[in-house]
Amino acid sequence: MNGISAIIITMDEERSIRKCLTSISWADEIIVVDSGSKDHTLKICKEFGAKIFTKSWRGFGFQKNEALRLAQFKWVLSIDADEIITSKLKKEIISIVGSDKTAEAYSIPRQSFYCGNLIKFSGWQSDFVVRFFQKKFCKFSNDLVHERVIVNGTTLKMKSYMLHNAFENFEEVVKKINVYSSLGALMLYKNNKKSSLKKALFHAFWSFFKTYIIKLGFLDGRSGLMLSISNAEGTYYRYIKLMMLNSNFND
């Protein structure tokens, strides 16, 4: 069927899910794979007529592949709960679906916000993510975190932006640092990587330097500095947690 399936994975997303769903309400179907939300996430999803499925959490890649498997239509739009499809992007997507010549996948540029402030540099200025694609040619990597779309074919870049409210407030920054560093450490551990305090400090320093200096984070002012520190923190905790996993295994 030559329609569009919008797919989302959720877990306690009531703060942002309504804006996300409003922006994709034009899709032919909305597939939600939830991992046990205890807030009003599912209630809001039902208001938009979403097809809701519950799957135990096994990592970002696995959850998204489950959502992809459930999609009924030829074209798939994968979106996170903290993202919004703009009206211009909607028109561009619909134009692609109606075209005779299309690629197998399309990467979409994102304009991302950190605690309410638009980040124009800090490595986010060239943020393209593959989110719109033909189902039969694509799948997600099974990574616990930082999953990606594996495309069997050509990927083209779209012109219109999606909006990404990466961190709504600093409480969310701290929460995500903890969650993502744990998942990242576990993924490294499963790939037989080793760590130490020295490695953790080095990687944290390099993360800060890369974000703030090389990727021009200083041009984002206070927000760029805060983001650079957040990246360094997340990297430090990831390698410290990996060190602890190595230590527990050896004990």
Side-chain angles (χ1 to χ4, degrees):
M1 291 185 287
N2 195 32
I4 302 173
S5 297
I7 62 174
I8 314 173
I9 63 172
T10 58
M11 175 66 174
D12 293 334
E13 303 286 358
E14 68 176 5
R15 181 180 294 175
S16 56
I17 193 68
R18 185 177 295 280
K19 290 181 180 179
C20 173
L21 291 171
T22 299
S23 77
I24 58 169
S25 58
W26 45 270
D28 294 287
E29 69 171 356
I30 299 174
I31 301 292
V32 173
V33 172
D34 187 74
S35 303
S37 292
K38 294 179 174 60
D39 60 6
H40 292 100
T41 296
L42 298 186
K43 179 182 177 182
I44 297 170
C45 290
K46 289 176 182 177
E47 292 177 18
F48 286 83
K51 299 175 183 177
I52 301 170
F53 303 86
T54 301
K55 298 288 181 181
S56 298
W57 177 256
R58 291 176 59 182
F60 283 94
F62 177 86
Q63 301 300 115
K64 290 192 175 183
N65 273 325
E66 282 296 293
L68 179 59
R69 181 180 63 82
L70 293 163
Q72 299 291 312
F73 292 94
K74 174 182 177 179
W75 289 94
V76 173
L77 173 62
S78 174
I79 185 170
D80 291 343
D82 58 3
E83 294 172 339
I84 295 172
I85 302 297
T86 62
S87 58
K88 287 185 178 180
L89 180 55
K90 169 189 171 182
K91 291 177 182 177
E92 190 174 350
I93 288 171
I94 292 174
S95 176
I96 289 171
V97 173
S99 174
D100 294 329
K101 295 182 179 180
T102 58
E104 284 71 34
Y106 292 84
S107 61
I108 302 173
R110 291 192 297 187
Q111 288 187 336
S112 296
F113 294 81
Y114 180 93
C115 297
N117 296 310
L118 175 63
I119 300 297
K120 297 180 180 180
F121 300 96
S122 305
W124 288 8
Q125 62 268 41
S126 56
D127 183 20
F128 278 81
V129 286
V130 177
R131 290 298 179 80
F132 186 57
F133 49 84
Q134 297 185 52
K135 178 180 177 180
K136 68 177 181 179
F137 296 109
C138 301
K139 65 178 180 179
F140 290 92
S141 63
N142 278 320
D143 296 318
L144 290 174
V145 66
H146 302 311
E147 74 294 340
R148 59 189 178 87
V149 177
I150 301 170
V151 182
N152 182 17
T154 302
T155 302
L156 297 180
K157 288 184 176 180
M158 300 183 72
K159 296 178 181 179
S160 305
Y161 284 88
M162 66 170 18
L163 303 179
H164 179 213
N165 194 12
F167 302 98
E168 188 164 330
N169 51 49
F170 203 72
E171 181 181 341
E172 191 171 317
V173 172
V174 174
K175 179 181 177 181
K176 285 189 175 182
I177 285 176
N178 185 44
V179 171
Y180 279 72
S181 62
S182 294
L183 291 173
L186 184 57
M187 191 162 66
L188 289 172
Y189 179 71
K190 289 184 175 181
N191 288 324
N192 298 313
K193 301 296 182 181
K194 304 295 182 183
S195 186
S196 64
L197 180 58
K198 183 178 179 180
K199 283 185 177 181
L201 290 169
F202 171 77
H203 283 290
F205 171 78
W206 174 244
S207 176
F208 176 87
F209 184 81
K210 182 170 62 174
T211 304
Y212 196 65
I213 303 298
I214 297 177
K215 296 187 176 182
L216 308 178
F218 62 90
L219 293 178
D220 282 313
R222 182 176 63 180
S223 294
L225 178 59
M226 291 170 65
L227 176 58
S228 300
I229 294 172
S230 298
N231 285 348
E233 273 192 288
T235 302
Y236 174 76
Y237 290 134
R238 180 166 70 249
Y239 281 92
I240 284 294
K241 290 176 181 179
L242 174 60
M243 182 184 73
M244 299 305 294
L245 286 171
N246 294 149
S247 177
N248 290 339
F249 179 79
N250 290 332
D251 290 344

